[in-house]
């Protein structure tokens, strides 16, 4: 019985020393001559709040584009502000007018938005789709089946155009569409 008691005492001392050595026990007992209030003050210190992670600009844009009634191809002059007081503002222009979305940069919640009235005509107008269709229609004998379609907005000699590249029937096509004129220009 004596050996068992000594073994338990030794095991508890070893456990206490290993906890202290590993930093597992951070509490200290109040000193006998120290006032009780000092011990209470040590326990009352609040823990530092964990740092909240701010959404990156791509996540913010994904939230805005989900809320916006227009497609990405229908907007331009996109600006994403720096995060200030936990908020981030995204603004852009469109055929319908200027848009503005202010988001909580941590939760992604839209806290304020300014949207112009978007008519069905504006919403249906997709310059990318128009450019692709016009370019395909300009290929003699085109009957469908284009592959590797790439679209890029470019400025040629000061004129905004849409470059459409595609492969069809064993050939590569690189064409430019002028959305203002509504036609393929080269």
């Amino acid at each position: 019985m004596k050996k068992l008691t000594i073994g338990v005492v030794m095991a508890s001392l070893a456990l206490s020393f290993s906890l202290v050595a590993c930093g597992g026990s951070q509490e200290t007992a109040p000193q006998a001559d120290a006032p009780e209030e000092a011990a209470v003050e040590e326990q009352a210190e609040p823990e530092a709040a964990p740092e909240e992670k701010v959404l990156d600009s791509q996540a913010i844009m994904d939230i805005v584009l989900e809320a916006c009634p227009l497609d990405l191809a229908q907007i331009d002059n996109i600006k994403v502000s720096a995060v200030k007081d936990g908020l981030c503002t995204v603004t852009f222009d469109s055929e319908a007018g200027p848009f503005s979305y202010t988001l909580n940069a941590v939760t992604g919640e839209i806290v304020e938005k300014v949207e112009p009235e978007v008519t069905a005509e504006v919403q249906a107008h997709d310059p990318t789709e128009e450019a692709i269709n016009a370019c395909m229609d300009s290929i003699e004998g085109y009957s469908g089946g284009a592959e590797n379609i790439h679209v890029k907005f470019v400025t040629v000699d000061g004129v905004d155009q849409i470059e459409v590249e595609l492969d069809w029937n064993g050939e590569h096509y690189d064409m430019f569409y002028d959305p203002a004129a509504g036609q393929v220009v080269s």
Side-chain angles (χ1 to χ4, degrees), residues 28-42:
T28 57
Q31 296 175 354
D33 54 318
E36 239 181 77
E37 294 144 357
V40 172
E41 282 181 34
E42 287 179 8

Side-chain angles (χ1 to χ4, degrees), residues 63-142:
I63 293 166
V64 168
L65 291 174
E66 179 74 27
C68 181
L70 301 177
D71 292 326
L72 180 60
Q74 296 173 290
I75 63 177
D76 63 353
N77 198 24
I78 302 169
K79 295 179 183 167
V80 180
S81 74
V83 176
K84 184 176 179 184
D85 298 327
L87 301 176
C88 177
T89 301
V90 177
T91 60
F92 51 85
D93 298 323
S94 74
E95 188 177 321
F99 283 75
S100 175
Y101 295 87
T102 302
L103 291 84
N104 178 313
V106 175
T107 66
E109 176 188 0
I110 297 174
V111 295
E112 181 182 351
K113 66 180 175 179
V114 176
E115 296 178 326
E117 182 180 339
V118 178
T119 64
E121 181 182 316
V122 169
Q123 198 168 14
H125 178 248
D126 182 356
T128 305
E129 187 176 327
E130 289 173 3
I132 293 169
N133 289 335
C135 289
M136 289 178 180
D137 290 345
S138 72
I139 299 172
E140 189 175 324
Y142 181 76

